[in-house]
Amino acid sequence: MDDDRPLFFHVMAYADDADRDVVDMVSGNPDWEPPRALREGLRAFADAPVADYQYPPSEGLSDLRDHLAAHHDVPVEQVLITNGAGEANHLAMACGLEAHSGNEVILTDPVYPYYADRAELLGADTTYVPVDADGRLDPAAVRAVASAETALVVACSPNNPTGAVYGETVKRELADIAAEHDALYVSDEVYAEFDYSGRFFSATAIDSEHVAVTNAVSKSMATTGLRVGYALLPDHLIDPAQTRHMLTNVAVTAPGQHAALRALRETPDDYYAATRDRLRERIDAFCNALEAAGAAYTRPEGAFYVLARFDGFPGTLANTKRLIDEAGVAGMPGEAFGDARADWLRFALVTPRAQEAADRLADYFG
Amino acid sequence: MDDDRPLFFHVMAYADDADRDVVDMVSGNPDWEPPRALREGLRAFADAPVADYQYPPSEGLSDLRDHLAAHHDVPVEQVLITNGAGEANHLAMACGLEAHSGNEVILTDPVYPYYADRAELLGADTTYVPVDADGRLDPAAVRAVASAETALVVACSPNNPTGAVYGETVKRELADIAAEHDALYVSDEVYAEFDYSGRFFSATAIDSEHVAVTNAVSKSMATTGLRVGYALLPDHLIDPAQTRHMLTNVAVTAPGQHAALRALRETPDDYYAATRDRLRERIDAFCNALEAAGAAYTRPEGAFYVLARFDGFPGTLANTKRLIDEAGVAGMPGEAFGDARADWLRFALVTPRAQEAADRLADYFG
């Protein structure tokens, strides 16, 4: 999957260079305001004492870990602050591969490409389980491929790119499958605040040594650049993950941790609710337009991506470019996410112009 | 070296819990003000547009890379922004081990413990070259142990913990030795702004595919918690390091990068000069007290650590604690840095109370 990064940047650059106005739905960068308390936290840090500018504890600010432990109802020892969910996933995968037998990583197809690339970096084998037509993952399909070779099952829910929300049953079954094969289930819950189905279930509630949960404030607080995430680790992975984290990054940025802590403490539920409302509106507008355009699509239950397939217009790179040039809408080719949705296009609804993009697509395909 | 982290924290915790006032000279956290422009950069970021809060480019902010490329007179493609010098060293070591033949890392003794721990994490063998009585590294001693097995030579100058500054000849010879054995010389220059000898020479000036240079604003700008560093990489390591960086951390914190850029652009030379003056005063006071106490010590040519050995008082953990309890001064036991200085104690001069600590030591041992 080494080619995905160039592909991603290639599409963004192509859209930037286009000779016309283009609605950018390529990246997963929120376009809405971060919580006020996050900006206030950074402002306050600007005047913080010198000591606050120095190394925070390698495992993260004590108050931030306490807050997250209470929020997720886990022992504080299990909380490791990381450089975004990216490092949390990296650590969970690297340490999971070392601690568990087998060398295989089970991933979904379509897949968030970073998982696949990390598996490759870590020298692991990958097995893909295709999701169903609605983007749902069938645990039985995972069970069918799992074996003594399996070290990791990595899945994201709410899901990027399908928008599926795996409910409690699915997550408990994935945890059971991991336990049966001495593997680790890594549950990436970075889109937890973007659940429109009411079915979101956090794997933190599963009492198992075979589950690690990753998360971040990146999406929930519209600040993918802050780089404050965390891993909630089973006991046997705490020391290895802390050591690897320390020897990779030493610590996570102090201003970001202070700002995230303040924002986590002070941001009212309204903020998240308003974000969901905004995205629901975009999803409705966009899906209605896809309907009008006669496209196949899955209405997301969570997160903020829509996968769509247009008849006679497979989601190749060439067609992605054609859509940029001829319709003024930039998405991501489905092939970036594996084979199962290679004919589809992914649109990220992180632009106030989602309605406009929808209209353009309806006009173009209608 | 897994025990060094607990040892380090153990000493800090012991000093904190002591029943008396203790001057903390354990950690390498600067106690002086960061540049005004750094605080201003963070303050400005608090009001930055939403887009600035999202993922910066994985390889770092373009303007920050441009600034560093110009400052170090290297092509901008070679500049990778990292989560502090810690990640820069990690990437250089990990990618250097993969790209070069052999599996041995040559380190100095005494050593900055993170190098040794990273070598262990990366599954490499380590060979230690003791420095001389003054803390100087003899390249001939490195040459004597280098072989086809050597993949990396990692050394820091100005040095932690010895305070030695390796001049141009030494660095060129280390680069030559690396070239002769298809190895990579990783020159950690995080203390570059703390040179009192006038002999500091940056390995960036060496035209060799066998040299990588690491650095950060952590020490130079008194902000070890900002986590903004960089690697200057030879051509063949650019892609592997960018990929590993992306799959480990995705990107480096945006507020930190913006603040570092502003501080790098706007901080006058006076700031660094004033810092050196302050440290020179501390070094003088501290070394005079060591002299009065009859201790063996090396006056640092750079950085801000002093190694000292007291007759009949070897730098064991037990004696480190005794010094905390009986003299009110907390240092680090030399055994944390290898064998060659296991009898010594390291004192970090990052406290305005360096003179007071010196007086206490002079009283205690005098």
Side-chain angles (χ1 to χ4, degrees):
Chain A
M1 292 251 171
D2 268 348
D3 292 320
D4 292 328
R5 181 170 59 130
L7 188 57
F8 187 83
F9 289 111
H10 185 75
V11 172
M12 290 209 291
Y14 190 87
D16 277 348
D17 293 344
D19 221 12
R20 57 162 297 160
D21 174 69
V22 176
V23 181
D24 176 3
M25 306 181 85
V26 179
S27 84
N29 277 325
D31 63 294
W32 52 89
E33 261 292 300
R36 200 175 54 194
L38 190 91
R39 289 182 179 274
E40 285 169 356
L42 284 170
R43 200 173 290 115
F45 191 87
D47 297 314
V50 168
D52 285 359
Y53 276 74
Q54 310 312 321
Y55 294 121
S58 182
E59 63 274 22
L61 286 182
S62 172
D63 287 350
L64 179 57
R65 296 173 73 213
D66 284 343
H67 181 96
L68 292 168
H71 177 75
H72 290 288
D73 194 21
V74 299
V76 68
E77 295 72 26
Q78 298 188 352
V79 182
L80 177 63
I81 307 299
T82 59
N83 190 70
E87 193 205 353
N89 284 321
H90 178 81
L91 290 174
M93 289 180 68
C95 297
L97 275 165
E98 278 188 358
H100 294 267
S101 50
N103 193 42
E104 175 199 57
V105 182
I106 297 182
L107 299 168
T108 61
D109 184 0
V111 68
Y112 172 57
Y114 274 74
Y115 302 153
D117 291 347
R118 283 196 189 100
E120 186 181 318
L121 180 78
L122 297 166
D125 306 316
T126 46
T127 299
Y128 291 93
V129 177
V131 301
D132 75 10
D134 294 324
R136 297 217 174 84
L137 179 65
D138 181 2
V142 176
R143 192 180 298 276
V145 300
S147 73
E149 270 311 297
T150 307
L152 298 173
V153 179
V154 185
C156 175
S157 168
N159 189 264
N160 171 14
T162 67
V165 172
Y166 308 158
E168 176 170 358
T169 311
V170 174
K171 289 199 173 177
R172 287 197 182 278
E173 290 203 44
L174 293 178
D176 287 346
I177 294 165
E180 286 159 24
H181 297 289
D182 183 31
L184 179 75
Y185 165 37
V186 180
S187 179
D188 181 345
E189 303 184 352
V190 75
Y191 295 101
E193 296 292 347
F194 304 88
D195 171 34
Y196 320 112
S197 70
R199 289 193 305 114
F200 175 73
F201 171 81
S202 174
T204 51
I206 304 172
D207 183 21
S208 168
E209 280 292 294
H210 295 269
V211 177
V213 173
T214 60
N215 207 328
V217 302
S218 308
K219 309 286 182 179
S220 62
M221 293 191 171
T223 178
T224 53
L226 197 68
R227 311 313 299 141
V228 178
Y230 52 98
L232 306 173
L233 299 159
D235 289 343
H236 67 289
L237 294 182
I238 293 174
D239 279 352
Q242 284 190 2
T243 298
R244 182 175 280 268
H245 167 68
M246 186 182 68
L247 296 178
T248 308
N249 282 330
V250 184
V252 170
T253 186
Q257 289 193 68
H258 281 275
L261 174 60
R262 180 149 173 181
L264 284 165
R265 279 176 170 162
E266 298 181 8
T267 302
D269 288 345
D270 290 357
Y271 172 82
Y272 306 103
T275 301
R276 281 189 292 273
D277 287 345
R278 182 185 305 113
L279 285 166
R280 266 195 210 96
E281 279 177 32
R282 291 181 185 176
I283 288 167
D284 287 344
F286 201 76
C287 289
N288 290 347
L290 292 174
E291 190 75 38
Y297 67 94
T298 316
R299 180 177 296 264
E301 301 172 312
F304 40 68
Y305 306 96
V306 175
L307 281 168
R309 183 163 56 88
F310 300 95
D311 249 10
F313 196 89
T316 59
L317 180 58
N319 275 338
T320 301
K321 290 180 177 178
R322 205 171 136 199
L323 209 59
I324 289 170
D325 291 328
E326 298 179 6
V329 178
M332 266 296 281
E335 67 190 64
F337 305 95
D339 296 330
R341 292 294 186 277
D343 279 354
W344 297 55
L345 285 154
R346 187 196 77 169
F347 299 96
L349 303 188
V350 286
T351 165
R353 300 172 69 193
Q355 175 70 59
E356 196 180 345
D359 294 342
R360 289 182 180 187
L361 290 175
D363 282 350
Y364 185 71
F365 289 109
Chain B
M1 291 248 170
D2 266 348
D3 292 320
D4 292 329
R5 181 170 59 131
L7 188 58
F8 187 83
F9 289 112
H10 184 77
V11 173
M12 290 209 292
Y14 190 88
D16 277 348
D17 293 345
D19 220 11
R20 57 161 296 160
D21 174 68
V22 176
V23 181
D24 176 4
M25 305 182 86
V26 179
S27 84
N29 277 325
D31 63 295
W32 52 89
E33 260 293 299
R36 200 175 56 193
L38 190 92
R39 289 183 181 273
E40 285 169 357
L42 284 170
R43 201 173 289 116
F45 191 88
D47 296 314
V50 168
D52 285 358
Y53 277 74
Q54 310 312 320
Y55 293 123
S58 182
E59 64 274 22
L61 286 183
S62 173
D63 287 350
L64 180 56
R65 296 173 74 215
D66 284 343
H67 181 95
L68 292 168
H71 178 76
H72 290 288
D73 194 19
V74 300
V76 68
E77 295 72 26
Q78 298 188 352
V79 183
L80 177 64
I81 307 299
T82 59
N83 191 71
E87 192 205 353
N89 284 322
H90 177 82
L91 291 174
M93 289 181 69
C95 297
L97 275 165
E98 278 188 359
H100 294 267
S101 51
N103 193 42
E104 175 200 56
V105 182
I106 296 181
L107 298 168
T108 61
D109 184 359
V111 67
Y112 173 57
Y114 274 75
Y115 302 153
D117 291 346
R118 282 196 190 101
E120 186 181 316
L121 180 78
L122 296 166
D125 307 316
T126 45
T127 299
Y128 292 92
V129 176
V131 300
D132 74 11
D134 294 323
R136 297 219 173 84
L137 180 65
D138 180 1
V142 176
R143 193 182 296 277
V145 299
S147 73
E149 270 310 298
T150 307
L152 298 173
V153 178
V154 185
C156 175
S157 166
N159 189 264
N160 171 14
T162 67
V165 172
Y166 307 159
E168 176 170 356
T169 309
V170 173
K171 288 199 174 175
R172 288 197 183 277
E173 289 202 44
L174 293 177
D176 287 346
I177 294 165
E180 285 159 26
H181 297 289
D182 183 31
L184 179 75
Y185 165 37
V186 180
S187 179
D188 181 346
E189 302 184 353
V190 75
Y191 295 102
E193 296 292 348
F194 304 87
D195 171 35
Y196 319 113
S197 70
R199 288 193 306 113
F200 175 73
F201 170 80
S202 173
T204 52
I206 304 173
D207 183 22
S208 168
E209 280 293 294
H210 295 269
V211 177
V213 173
T214 60
N215 207 328
V217 303
S218 308
K219 308 286 183 178
S220 61
M221 293 190 171
T223 177
T224 53
L226 197 69
R227 310 313 299 139
V228 178
Y230 52 99
L232 307 174
L233 298 159
D235 289 343
H236 67 288
L237 293 182
I238 294 173
D239 280 351
Q242 284 190 2
T243 297
R244 182 175 281 268
H245 167 68
M246 186 183 67
L247 297 177
T248 309
N249 281 331
V250 184
V252 169
T253 186
Q257 290 193 68
H258 282 275
L261 174 60
R262 181 151 175 178
L264 284 165
R265 279 177 170 161
E266 297 181 10
T267 302
D269 288 346
D270 289 359
Y271 172 82
Y272 306 103
T275 301
R276 280 189 293 272
D277 287 346
R278 181 184 306 113
L279 285 166
R280 266 197 210 96
E281 280 177 30
R282 291 180 184 175
I283 288 168
D284 286 344
F286 201 75
C287 289
N288 289 346
L290 292 174
E291 190 75 39
Y297 67 94
T298 316
R299 180 177 297 263
E301 301 172 311
F304 41 67
Y305 307 97
V306 175
L307 282 168
R309 183 163 56 89
F310 300 94
D311 249 10
F313 196 89
T316 59
L317 179 59
N319 274 339
T320 301
K321 290 181 177 176
R322 206 171 137 200
L323 208 59
I324 289 170
D325 291 327
E326 298 179 5
V329 178
M332 268 294 283
E335 66 190 65
F337 305 95
D339 297 327
R341 293 292 186 279
D343 279 355
W344 297 55
L345 286 153
R346 187 195 77 169
F347 299 96
L349 302 188
V350 286
T351 163
R353 301 172 69 194
Q355 173 72 58
E356 195 179 345
D359 294 342
R360 289 182 180 188
L361 291 175
D363 282 351
Y364 186 70
F365 289 108

